[in-house]
Amino acid sequence: MAVKLSHMLFGAFVLLFVLQPCVIKSLKLDSLQNLEQVQKGGGASGINQVKQYLKRYGYYPHGVKLTLDDRFDDFLESALKAYQQFLYLDVTGKIDSATIKTMMTPRCGMPDNQGESHLISNYNTTNSKWRKYNLSYSISNAPSGFKVNGVETVFARAMKSWADVSPFKFTKNSNSDIKVAFYSNNHGDYPFYDPVTGNEAYAHAFYPQDGRVHFNTLYTWSTSPTSRQADMESIAVHELGHTLGLNHSGLLSAIMYPYIDLGTIKRTLTQDDKDGLKAMYKY
Ligand SMILES: [Zn+2]
Ligand SMILES: [Zn+2]
């Protein structure tokens, strides 16, 4: 009997972990909708997480100290307006339904606004650039369901998207400029999971001339995703944009837009993405 019980517990344990990738959502708040009616000066449980979410992605000016409570204050209104403006939502300064829908979408782990970035048109560039156009890359491991050469095929296609519209050339080499790896949450730099907001980032990449590109193994990666899987190539094209020095664009159609739904394939660079890289490197 004792043996059977332990088997059952083990089964429940396995089930819990197998099912975990299916419950990914961008915010911890199950009841984000409840915040829709909250007015400035009012308060509600969960406002604190919205503040920290906006802070994390760069919507509070440097020097503004967050008041970590559930009150809807002036700073939150300004941060909401900045968020809505960047993403071309109606600038209401309120936690409205379009804002909630966007915040609930899974996203890249990189912030939308940083001190050193310059907003030109829609795209965002940084001051970090490569001083050469021939870049080498390596793939160190593969997520569940892939072999390393399968990941290489996906990334080779993603790199071709950028190479086709720029002077950049990418070559596989173990002594590499661009280093792609798949990791679980804590992996020595920035965790993918934010315990306050509940955000579970797809991936992040470092600006030139660092070259690290890290993907989150919590997601189920695919080349033909179901509605619960993430398209590896779509997110590879996006992260490579950061590797080349681009920041996020608020234009929904752009590859450098920070959000993408599970199951969505979005692999084609837009004029905005191409203009962004060209403005940075002036070719
Ligand atoms: Zn990104
Ligand atoms: Zn990392």
Side-chain angles (χ1 to χ4, degrees), residues 137-143 146-163 170-172 178-182 202-205 211-216 221 223 231-241 243:
Y137 69 94
S138 64
I139 315 284
S140 66
N141 61 348
F146 279 85
K147 293 199 167 80
V148 171
N149 62 7
V151 176
E152 276 170 6
T153 306
V154 172
F155 271 81
R157 280 201 301 266
M159 286 172 190
K160 188 174 183 303
S161 294
W162 287 108
F170 303 91
T171 319
K172 201 172 94 178
I178 300 171
K179 298 160 277 285
V180 178
F182 287 79
Y202 284 118
H204 53 229
R212 282 175 290 168
V213 180
H214 296 162
F215 273 53
N216 187 348
W221 296 98
T223 53
D231 184 52
M232 191 189 287
E233 187 176 335
S234 299
I235 291 160
V237 180
H238 175 100
E239 296 305 326
L240 286 169
T243 308

Side-chain angles (χ1 to χ4, degrees), residues 183 185 187-192 204 206 212-215:
Y183 289 119
N185 184 38
H187 56 281
D189 45 70
Y190 303 100
F192 293 120
H204 53 229
F206 292 72
R212 282 175 290 168
V213 180
H214 296 162
F215 273 53

Side-chain angles (χ1 to χ4, degrees), residues 29 31-32 34-35 38 42-50 69-71:
L29 305 162
S31 54
L32 195 60
N34 294 348
L35 301 182
V38 184
S45 170
I47 293 280
N48 184 18
Q49 278 96 327
V50 175
D69 58 20
D70 284 322
R71 291 205 70 75

Side-chain angles (χ1 to χ4, degrees), residues 161-181:
S161 294
W162 287 108
D164 282 349
V165 299
S166 74
F168 280 102
K169 287 189 170 60
F170 303 91
T171 319
K172 201 172 94 178
N173 192 319
S174 54
N175 182 20
S176 52
D177 300 307
I178 300 171
K179 298 160 277 285
V180 178

